[in-house]
Amino acid sequence: MPQQVDPFVTAQRQLDQACELLGLSDAMQQFLRVPMREHRFSLPLQMDDGSYQVFEGYRVQYNDARGPAKGGIRFHPEETISTVRALAAWMTWKTAVVDIPLGGGKGGVTCNPKAMTMGELERLSRAYMRHVAHIVGPDRDIPAPDVYTTPQIMAWMMDEYETITGRHLPGVITGKPVSLAGSLGRGDATARGGVYVVREASRALGLDLHGHTAAIQGYGNAGQHVHALSGELLGLRVIAVSDSQGGIYCEKGIDAAAAAAHKRETGSVRGLPGTEAISNAELLELPVAVLFPAALENVITEHNADRMRAKMVAELANGPTTPEADDILFDKGVTLFPDFMCNAGGVTVSYLEQVQNASNYYWTLAQVHERLDATMSRAFEAVHRVASERQIPHRLAAYLVAVERVAEAVTIRGWIR
Ligand code: NAD
């Protein structure tokens, strides 16, 4: 097994490379390497059986030079301050690369929500908001859902914040249910944004993807939506998909609706009639036109990168590729679109949700899609130009675009000249 890398160390390594190429000053590099603010707190909670448990909570505001901090809240048993820091850093580069007027933040609670009742989860969510209410807000820091946090949890947190402030301020948090100040189009926004990036890339590289093959690792929100949308919008034939229990393969193509229904009914894609079983490792090595990692971090490493045969990798998951594997894939001529550009559709529609909240006027689905498309297409164009001019991987090019924008805001503010 590859050694698990501290995600914040990876985030800093990637940033250092960008700072050097941009020729930023030591002071600027030092400032951008660490969060501007961190909050850690204990959350005592009465459980349904009357006992008390104490949870650890975090909110990191990594950088807000370009606008209020933005980033999800994760409820996970393995949540640590280091993961939150790394994700908050990546949020900073993500909002900058798609050029929306927000900074980067992230939050979390170390807990196992799968072992909690709805009542316990609601009390934990409200307690979390009580601890951060003085540091968040539509003009300060706007949380959103992340792993194991849902639109319902966002609704409880919004309600708690409005109770504390005595005002109607739905823009304090995004990813809310559509029936409670959410935005149309948030559900498939991450996958849709990734598909727009691949569409723009195929145009720029002169490729016609119609009828070509794709494989998808992970079959949750991102994976299921990218299955349907890559067929609908790109004409790709998805020949393999997988989840935590393993994968399925069918050379003729796998029907998105049938696979989603099978997963809903049985808990896994495995056993879908008309398909054969493959492992997650085999899926990653298939000779497809496009591979979509949409599950976990650290799945493409120096141990499998040289066996991979995909022509393009479009990262929907955060951190699926290690820095060593990045180098191997670039040398092999594989075009990789990095997570913080490729999966930025989610935060882009979160931003659109906030804009609608601020004006208290809600758009049609077509309007949301149009704005998402324009934002993702512009981001791809900016990154691809730098990658082509400098002959560097798209990940490094995306860092150069994003870090330069953040550094410029820091300079113009006069924090570091
Ligand atoms: P999810 O929980 O809905 O789905 C995750 C999927 O991954 C599940 O199908 C699960 O079975 C599968 N999985 C878990 N372990 C696996 C393994 N070992 N091998 C193969 N599959 C495995 O999560 P999601 O929202 O789809 O997020 C997936 C990735 O995309 C995460 O890295 C997340 O950070 C990233 N992401 C999601 C969004 C979003 O809006 N949903 C936005 C940005 C980034």
Side-chain angles (χ1 to χ4, degrees):
M1 280 293 285
Q3 211 184 353
Q4 284 297 312
V5 189
D6 179 336
F8 189 53
V9 171
T10 299
Q12 287 184 321
R13 268 176 70 184
Q14 293 166 337
L15 173 73
D16 288 344
Q17 208 184 350
C19 287
E20 273 155 41
L21 275 178
L22 289 168
L24 298 182
S25 69
D26 288 349
M28 182 68 81
Q29 184 169 354
Q30 196 185 336
F31 182 63
L32 297 180
R33 288 186 103 242
V34 289
M36 288 176 63
R37 286 179 291 278
E38 285 187 6
H39 305 269
R40 296 172 76 156
F41 36 90
S42 283
L43 291 168
L45 193 76
Q46 186 164 28
M47 311 306 283
D48 283 359
D49 65 5
S51 68
Y52 281 85
Q53 277 187 33
V54 181
F55 298 95
E56 191 167 9
Y58 320 91
R59 185 74 196 166
V60 172
Q61 295 167 337
Y62 194 86
N63 189 293
D64 59 6
R66 288 173 41 87
K70 181 92 191 84
I73 298 168
R74 189 176 275 197
F75 285 180
H76 197 275
E78 279 146 38
E79 187 70 311
T80 64
I81 187 68
S82 185
T83 318
V84 181
R85 276 185 197 133
L87 290 163
W90 286 325
M91 284 306 299
T92 306
W93 316 133
K94 192 184 294 197
T95 53
V97 84
V98 288
D99 205 9
I100 54 180
L102 295 169
K106 204 79 186 186
V109 178
T110 313
C111 67
N112 182 6
K114 288 185 176 172
M116 295 170 76
T117 66
M118 283 296 269
E120 289 165 347
L121 266 182
E122 177 174 355
R123 291 196 296 283
L124 182 68
S125 305
R126 290 184 182 278
Y128 182 89
M129 181 48 86
R130 283 196 298 280
H131 277 78
V132 298
H134 64 293
I135 54 158
V136 301
D139 55 358
R140 284 181 171 164
D141 179 2
I142 306 113
D146 195 70
V147 177
Y148 296 156
T149 51
T150 59
Q152 172 63 74
I153 289 176
M154 300 304 107
W156 288 326
M157 290 190 178
M158 179 195 88
D159 181 68
E160 191 68 21
Y161 184 75
E162 293 188 341
T163 305
I164 292 166
T165 57
R167 300 176 67 195
H168 186 65
L169 289 167
V172 65
I173 204 159
T174 58
K176 302 180 291 293
V178 173
S179 57
L180 191 69
S183 175
L184 292 170
R186 178 64 184 86
D188 71 6
T190 299
R192 185 174 286 274
V195 166
Y196 290 154
V197 166
V198 174
R199 184 200 61 201
E200 289 306 298
S202 63
R203 283 180 186 156
L205 301 170
L207 303 170
D208 180 10
L209 291 177
H210 210 270
H212 286 263
T213 53
I216 302 166
Q217 188 197 38
Y219 215 63
N221 174 294
Q224 290 187 31
H225 284 304
V226 88
H227 188 171
L229 290 170
S230 57
E232 191 186 317
L233 301 178
L234 301 174
L236 280 167
R237 179 162 47 96
V238 176
I239 59 168
V241 302
S242 69
D243 58 30
S244 56
Q245 295 181 43
I248 53 173
Y249 176 85
C250 176
E251 185 55 36
K252 284 190 300 198
I254 298 168
D255 181 68
H262 188 74
K263 174 140 177 101
R264 224 175 13 253
E265 284 153 23
T266 67
S268 174
V269 292
R270 297 279 279 193
L272 177 70
T275 65
E276 51 189 280
I278 58 165
S279 68
N280 263 295
E282 287 167 332
L283 179 143
L284 292 173
E285 295 171 18
L286 289 171
V288 287
V290 189
L291 171 70
F292 293 99
L296 299 172
E297 57 278 7
N298 296 334
V299 291
I300 302 175
T301 68
E302 74 266 39
H303 301 285
N304 61 358
D306 54 1
R307 288 196 303 275
M308 284 178 53
R309 290 172 290 167
K311 293 204 169 51
M312 274 188 211
V313 178
E315 294 182 338
L316 294 175
N318 281 311
T321 310
T322 63
E324 293 74 19
D326 262 337
D327 294 342
I328 296 170
L329 293 180
F330 185 66
D331 290 344
K332 275 165 63 111
V334 177
T335 311
L336 182 146
F337 304 112
D339 43 12
F340 71 93
M341 169 175 82
C342 204
N343 69 25
V347 74
T348 300
V349 176
S350 270
Y351 164 62
L352 299 179
E353 177 178 334
Q354 216 209 344
V355 172
Q356 294 169 80
N357 293 156
S359 58
N360 206 13
Y361 180 77
Y362 290 82
W363 304 336
T364 62
L365 186 59
Q367 287 172 308
V368 172
H369 286 170
E370 192 188 320
R371 287 169 170 121
L372 173 64
D373 193 345
T375 303
M376 298 304 296
S377 300
R378 268 198 311 271
F380 173 78
E381 199 190 317
V383 169
H384 187 61
R385 192 181 323 117
V386 173
S388 309
E389 280 168 11
R390 293 191 178 234
Q391 293 292 303
I392 54 174
H394 283 78
R395 188 183 317 278
L396 184 54
Y399 264 101
L400 295 186
V401 170
V403 173
E404 188 168 36
R405 287 177 180 161
V406 176
E408 190 182 344
V410 169
T411 305
I412 294 172
R413 281 177 180 277
W415 293 349
I416 297 174
R417 289 179 215 273

